[in-house]
Amino acid sequence: MEGMGHIPAWLRPTSADIQLANGLLDAVGMLKENENERAAIRLQQLRNENQLGNEVSALHAWSLLRAEQVSEASTVARDGITQYGATPAFAFAMAQIYEAQDKPAEAFPLYRDLAKIAEQDILVLSACARTAVASGLGADALSYLDRLMVVEPLSLEQKRLRAQALELADRPEDALALYQQMSAENPQDFMLLADMASASFATASRSRQASHYENAVALLERLTAAAPQHGEAFFMLGQARQELGLDAEAGTAFDRCLEIEPANVEAGLMYASILAAGGDAQASADVLLSLLRQPISGKDVERVQSRLMTLNTTE
């Protein structure tokens, strides 16, 4: 329908509804201008005055969602389902609401059902992949991205989703290759560098090959230079260096990680071990005692105390 390209197809009012309530076009225009709250009020008025189809109720819920009135949107959608049944319009609206509520595992099956109805709907296929990744369903995400690729080339964000799906599907080498391709095409994208470094470390951890750890170190050094407050990157860098036998350099990375994240127990234990192995028992003990001053769990307290007792025994 002309003039409604900004509204998902599932929610567009029928010609019969537009003829019955001319004000619907006003609401559609408001949504185009991002006047979402005004559109929601107008749609509520029209629904009160006319017997309109389920798409208008679902559109009303969607306009409330766009106005960041998530609870109200959910109420309208659920009331509509009670009145009209679980129509595709309400499935789409509820899926969008679930995503706004950070419930991808509940949104995914709704999008999946819509993808069975409209097998080449770009919006739905992309939503299936997005919520599948967020739900930890790598293989499912890949299947929807494969279908999407038949319809149109993947965008950068969709390629990133594909890389994440490959990681979830336990295919870190393929994920890394895709990250490398994206990074070459977008060299200034910091998030791509972070994703690629993480994927490279995952590949090395899986293969245990020195060459893979060398690649991970190179990428993580680039990442920590670009993001000197990225504690997790320094932690991975320390581990990768340690695997290559670069204990002094690994200790430097763990030390920096602890400056950023003083309660990082794993980094502290690894750094303490390096110091102890290097003959500096006092420095090792200082690291462990510093951990005990942090708000760590009871289980971690026991681990640190056990290491400290072992250290004292070997002195």
Side-chain angles (χ1 to χ4, degrees), residues 257-265 268 287 290-292 294-296:
C257 174
L258 289 167
E259 289 178 6
I260 302 166
E261 301 174 357
N264 190 319
V265 174
V287 170
S290 178
L291 282 175
L292 292 174
Q294 303 303 319
I296 60 179

Side-chain angles (χ1 to χ4, degrees), residues 197-248:
S198 178
S200 180
F201 179 75
T203 297
S205 299
R206 176 189 175 93
S207 71
R208 316 297 295 181
Q209 293 183 23
S211 60
H212 289 173
Y213 276 115
E214 289 168 357
N215 290 337
V217 165
L219 288 168
L220 287 163
E221 287 176 346
R222 281 178 56 192
L223 178 58
T224 53
Q229 297 300 317
H230 198 314
E232 179 64 20
F234 279 102
F235 180 48
M236 290 187 290
L237 178 58
Q239 294 176 83
R241 285 173 170 173
Q242 192 171 25
E243 290 289 340
L244 292 171
L246 305 173
D247 286 354

Side-chain angles (χ1 to χ4, degrees), residues 102-130:
D102 196 23
K103 297 178 180 179
E106 295 183 55
F108 172 66
L110 295 175
Y111 287 130
R112 181 185 59 202
D113 290 344
L114 293 174
K116 294 175 182 176
I117 300 172
E119 296 183 355
Q120 293 191 324
D121 188 303
I122 294 171
L123 181 63
V124 169
L125 292 175
S126 183
C128 283
R130 181 177 64 246

Side-chain angles (χ1 to χ4, degrees), residues 1 4 11-20 24 52-56:
M1 190 175 297
M4 293 196 187
L11 307 178
R12 293 173 190 170
T14 64
S15 298
D17 282 336
I18 292 173
Q19 292 176 359
L20 183 61
L24 275 175
L52 301 173
N54 73 93
E55 295 86 356
V56 177

